[in-house]
Amino acid sequence: MAKKIGNSSYVLKNPPSFLSTAAIVGEVESEGPLGQYFDLSVDEYWDEDSWEKAETKMFEMSIRKALEKIKLQPQDMDVMLGGDLLNQIISASFAARQLEIPYLGLYGACSTMTESLIIGSSLIDGEFIDRAACVTGSHFSTAERQYRTPNELGNQTPPTSQRTVTGAGASIIGSGGTGPFITSFTIGKVVDYGIKDAANMGAAMAPSAVDTIEIHLNDTGRVPSYYDMIITGDLGKLGSEILVEKLKEKDIDISHNHNDCGLMVFDIENQKVDCGGSGCGCAAVTLNAFLIRKMLEGKINRILLVATGALLSTTSSLQGESIPGVAHAVCIERSLSV
Amino acid sequence: MAKKIGNSSYVLKNPPSFLSTAAIVGEVESEGPLGQYFDLSVDEYWDEDSWEKAETKMFEMSIRKALEKIKLQPQDMDVMLGGDLLNQIISASFAARQLEIPYLGLYGACSTMTESLIIGSSLIDGEFIDRAACVTGSHFSTAERQYRTPNELGNQTPPTSQRTVTGAGASIIGSGGTGPFITSFTIGKVVDYGIKDAANMGAAMAPSAVDTIEIHLNDTGRVPSYYDMIITGDLGKLGSEILVEKLKEKDIDISHNHNDCGLMVFDIENQKVDCGGSGCGCAAVTLNAFLIRKMLEGKINRILLVATGALLSTTSSLQGESIPGVAHAVCIERSLSV
């Protein structure tokens, strides 16, 4: 039986395995450092007549692609767990309509990938279900026009900005696989340090990552070096610096093994992405294309994935609210230690 | 251990109990048939400077009120599970910021109340957690201006419209209580019959309720009369008629024991609410103020609550999409039968 330890961490008794993963990305992502690992790259419309429809298609097709690899059908899934950044998470819901899988919609902004893995692995460990499709995605152009300004304005971005990843990533997790396994997780609280600059998400989300990583290590009695990598979702360059520094003040040193999906998915020196990648798709494509593959190849044995979400809306910002963040951590291990 | 039965239904081994509930509503709701059952009624601003902030406050205070009744604090909760209708579910997220409870944000539109009970009861049954705060809410004025037209326009509503309930309802569920208990549930699929009229949500959502109720009864081998009441979330008058008729075509007769929260919360003959109530808050306040109380009083023994969500956004409608629906069913029983 699963066991709660400490404040808000949980150790799984029957750790679910990643049975298959897939990631579909846009053109800029395919030109980045992880380009070779993605299953497919498409242009921003992907033969649809709107960016939102292209985003929905990527969402749906990432699941279909992951299922194809293990010769399963959508109807072999017990539940689909996912969400995205669009108002009313329409990418997830319209993809669920096409797939006809029982569906629980989630919203944790860019933390949704780990949120879906937490709920999915709980349902599997609790023996409710055998298999879940956990999926998130985002799209640069739909996020820009929904959260910021009409894309046609061609606004310059401030240097603290991050580029929303165009892409969707799906994890098919289930009982009875051969790994990598989800062995523990920590559910985060909403943390707000009062940042109001919607062009500086890294700084807004870093405090929640600090909080969740500290709680995770305290709850589990682990030290940072327990992990080959501690990987945040999309703090980008500035947010990552804040995270490492703030944890150092708490005598937690992750400077040697921290990385951030937003810094892995783009080459921030040579691609015009300011502080790096962001969006639900950022952690989703990095996990499902790159990290799981490297674990399967034996290059990485144990990671803590800490996807981070900024819980703002245009309305909350217009009404003067600051930007709270949330981060959920999932421990993924290549094999089950005794 | 929990058990999956049939297509997408689950029977709980250790059914969690409702430990406490609370509901806070607006003025129109307090003048409706359930007025006497609500914990508190407030005006649409509740001393805040925007409707959205009032909605967030109702969300937060409904949890605090439910906790107060059983002398618990927010920190006694293992997790908060909730969502709302606002873009990026800011009511839920900003309430979670105030409460500092580990938080998993959900989005199932008006099906969110049963979605939160499903995830919460799974986490309890799986022995991950002891207690969860499951909560949803909505606000007439924030929904109108976000989904429809500026409220100041004073647009007339077509007769198929429903009035978004201003209110929030919270269920504190946990192990070791004395009931009512969550004993089984069915996770719904997204169903779309092609309705495009955003002023006719009842018709858009009815097919998903048909689907989920049929699957629930098939999966469990139950007949409609197994339940004292089968209660949909917010189909309203027209949607309820469609539901009963469509199920009749499948030889499932729920005409004697069906009711709808949207028809219970308002007096549709004498209040200006067209086809009845809607919104996440509709099922939330009806369940947490009225239904659970009637079960505790022994007036009702067994219900199937089927909250229904319309998964549209203004963007999806503007892009010509139809309105898919989803419905999740939760079986609540006053006591545990042998």
Side-chain angles (χ1 to χ4, degrees):
Chain A
M1 201 58 75
K3 200 172 128 201
K4 180 176 178 181
I5 49 173
N7 191 291
S8 56
S9 299
Y10 300 84
V11 174
L12 300 175
K13 170 95 184 296
N14 302 300
S17 173
F18 285 81
L19 305 178
S20 179
T21 62
I24 299 173
V25 297
E27 289 169 322
V28 181
E29 292 70 22
S30 74
E31 292 159 3
L34 305 183
Q36 61 176 300
Y37 298 106
F38 302 120
D39 294 281
L40 186 65
S41 73
V42 294
D43 71 45
E44 61 176 358
Y45 281 105
W46 200 2
D47 304 325
E48 297 291 324
D49 59 9
S50 76
W51 292 319
E52 288 75 12
K53 290 184 182 176
E55 181 177 330
T56 302
K57 187 172 175 180
M58 294 172 80
F59 203 105
E60 176 193 344
M61 295 310 290
S62 71
I63 297 180
R64 292 199 188 273
K65 197 142 275 276
L67 288 174
E68 212 173 82
K69 294 181 188 178
I70 48 173
K71 298 191 170 47
L72 289 181
Q73 302 296 322
Q75 58 266 33
D76 297 319
M77 293 293 103
D78 294 308
V79 69
M80 168 180 157
L81 297 157
D84 57 89
L85 293 176
L86 292 182
N87 297 342
Q88 289 75 53
I89 60 166
I90 52 171
S91 300
S93 298
F94 282 85
R97 178 183 69 178
Q98 299 311 111
L99 292 160
E100 299 183 41
I101 306 173
Y103 165 62
L104 297 171
L106 311 179
Y107 186 78
C110 309
S111 73
T112 306
M113 190 67 233
T114 46
E115 180 180 355
S116 70
L117 293 173
I118 285 172
I119 295 176
S121 59
S122 300
L123 291 173
I124 293 165
D125 189 67
E127 297 187 14
F128 286 88
I129 63 169
D130 283 329
R131 297 187 204 102
C134 302
V135 56
T136 70
S138 52
H139 191 299
F140 170 74
S141 301
T142 68
E144 281 304 302
R145 73 167 161 192
Q146 178 181 282
Y147 286 104
R148 297 178 189 99
T149 51
N151 304 31
E152 295 80 357
L153 272 178
N155 274 9
Q156 294 213 19
T157 51
T160 53
S161 291
Q162 295 172 238
R163 183 182 169 96
T164 304
V165 164
T166 299
S171 305
I172 309 299
I173 62 172
S175 55
T178 54
F181 299 94
I182 297 172
T183 53
S184 63
F185 57 76
T186 299
I187 304 176
K189 296 194 302 288
V190 177
V191 178
D192 190 338
Y193 278 20
I195 302 279
K196 290 195 176 188
D197 179 1
N200 192 353
M201 294 292 191
M205 296 188 291
S208 65
V210 171
D211 191 64
T212 298
I213 292 172
E214 186 185 14
I215 288 174
H216 177 81
L217 296 175
N218 278 343
D219 283 353
T220 57
R222 295 172 188 165
V223 292
S225 61
Y226 181 81
Y227 292 103
D228 296 332
M229 296 172 80
I230 294 176
I231 305 161
T232 43
D234 58 344
L235 296 182
K237 187 165 185 297
L238 182 60
S240 292
E241 285 167 9
I242 295 170
L243 170 72
V244 171
E245 194 170 310
K246 285 284 159 201
L247 282 174
K248 226 170 224 167
E249 289 172 12
K250 296 168 182 279
D251 284 326
I252 299 170
D253 184 2
I254 64 165
S255 61
H256 302 295
N257 56 346
H258 172 260
N259 209 336
D260 182 78
C261 298
L263 297 172
M264 297 165 78
V265 75
F266 291 128
D267 174 354
I268 70 165
E269 303 299 326
N270 298 302
Q271 290 184 295
K272 168 69 191 97
V273 297
D274 297 304
C275 268
S278 68
C280 291
C282 185
V285 304
T286 305
L287 172 70
N288 290 301
F290 180 71
L291 294 170
I292 294 296
R293 180 180 313 219
K294 289 295 153 188
M295 296 187 90
L296 287 170
E297 289 173 0
K299 304 273 170 56
I300 317 172
N301 287 310
R302 191 188 281 139
I303 65 171
L304 187 68
L305 180 67
V306 190
T308 45
L311 301 170
L312 80 168
S313 79
T314 52
T315 304
S316 68
S317 292
L318 283 169
Q319 295 188 359
E321 281 285 4
S322 52
I323 305 171
V326 71
H328 304 297
V330 173
C331 168
I332 306 173
E333 303 190 58
R334 182 162 72 102
S335 59
L336 295 175
S337 36
V338 187
Chain B
M1 201 58 75
K3 200 173 129 201
K4 180 175 178 180
I5 48 174
N7 192 291
S8 58
S9 300
Y10 300 85
V11 174
L12 300 175
K13 169 95 185 296
N14 302 297
S17 172
F18 285 82
L19 305 177
S20 179
T21 61
I24 298 173
V25 297
E27 288 168 322
V28 181
E29 292 71 20
S30 74
E31 291 159 4
L34 305 183
Q36 60 175 301
Y37 298 106
F38 301 121
D39 293 281
L40 186 65
S41 73
V42 295
D43 72 45
E44 61 175 358
Y45 281 105
W46 200 3
D47 304 325
E48 297 291 324
D49 59 8
S50 76
W51 293 318
E52 287 76 11
K53 289 184 182 177
E55 180 177 329
T56 301
K57 187 173 176 180
M58 295 172 79
F59 203 104
E60 176 193 343
M61 296 310 290
S62 71
I63 297 180
R64 292 199 188 274
K65 197 142 277 278
L67 288 173
E68 213 174 79
K69 294 181 187 177
I70 47 173
K71 299 189 170 51
L72 289 181
Q73 303 296 322
Q75 59 265 33
D76 297 319
M77 293 293 103
D78 293 308
V79 70
M80 167 179 158
L81 297 157
D84 56 271
L85 293 176
L86 293 181
N87 296 342
Q88 289 75 52
I89 60 166
I90 51 170
S91 301
S93 299
F94 282 85
R97 177 182 70 178
Q98 300 310 111
L99 292 160
E100 299 183 40
I101 306 172
Y103 164 62
L104 297 171
L106 310 178
Y107 186 79
C110 308
S111 72
T112 307
M113 190 68 233
T114 46
E115 180 181 353
S116 70
L117 293 173
I118 285 172
I119 296 177
S121 58
S122 300
L123 291 173
I124 294 165
D125 190 66
E127 299 188 12
F128 287 87
I129 64 169
D130 282 331
R131 296 187 203 102
C134 301
V135 55
T136 70
S138 52
H139 190 299
F140 170 74
S141 302
T142 69
E144 282 303 303
R145 72 167 162 191
Q146 178 180 282
Y147 285 104
R148 295 177 189 99
T149 51
N151 305 31
E152 295 80 357
L153 272 178
N155 274 10
Q156 293 212 22
T157 52
T160 53
S161 291
Q162 295 172 238
R163 183 183 170 96
T164 304
V165 164
T166 299
S171 304
I172 310 299
I173 62 172
S175 55
T178 55
F181 300 93
I182 297 172
T183 53
S184 63
F185 58 76
T186 299
I187 303 176
K189 297 194 301 288
V190 177
V191 178
D192 191 337
Y193 276 21
I195 301 280
K196 291 195 175 188
D197 179 1
N200 192 354
M201 295 292 189
M205 296 188 291
S208 65
V210 171
D211 191 65
T212 298
I213 292 171
E214 185 185 14
I215 288 174
H216 178 81
L217 295 175
N218 277 344
D219 283 352
T220 58
R222 295 171 188 166
V223 292
S225 61
Y226 180 80
Y227 292 103
D228 296 331
M229 298 172 79
I230 294 175
I231 306 161
T232 42
D234 57 345
L235 296 182
K237 187 165 186 295
L238 181 61
S240 292
E241 285 167 9
I242 295 170
L243 171 72
V244 171
E245 194 169 311
K246 285 283 158 201
L247 281 174
K248 223 169 228 168
E249 288 173 13
K250 295 166 182 281
D251 283 326
I252 298 170
D253 183 2
I254 64 164
S255 61
H256 302 293
N257 56 348
H258 172 259
N259 209 335
D260 182 79
C261 298
L263 297 172
M264 298 167 78
V265 74
F266 292 127
D267 174 354
I268 70 164
E269 302 300 327
N270 298 300
Q271 292 184 294
K272 168 70 189 95
V273 296
D274 298 304
C275 267
S278 67
C280 290
C282 185
V285 305
T286 305
L287 172 70
N288 290 300
F290 180 71
L291 293 169
I292 295 296
R293 182 179 313 221
K294 289 295 153 190
M295 295 188 91
L296 287 170
E297 288 173 359
K299 304 274 169 55
I300 316 173
N301 287 312
R302 193 187 280 139
I303 64 172
L304 186 69
L305 180 67
V306 190
T308 43
L311 301 171
L312 80 168
S313 79
T314 52
T315 303
S316 68
S317 291
L318 283 169
Q319 295 187 0
E321 281 284 5
S322 52
I323 305 173
V326 70
H328 305 297
V330 173
C331 168
I332 305 173
E333 303 190 59
R334 181 162 72 102
S335 58
L336 295 176
S337 36
V338 186

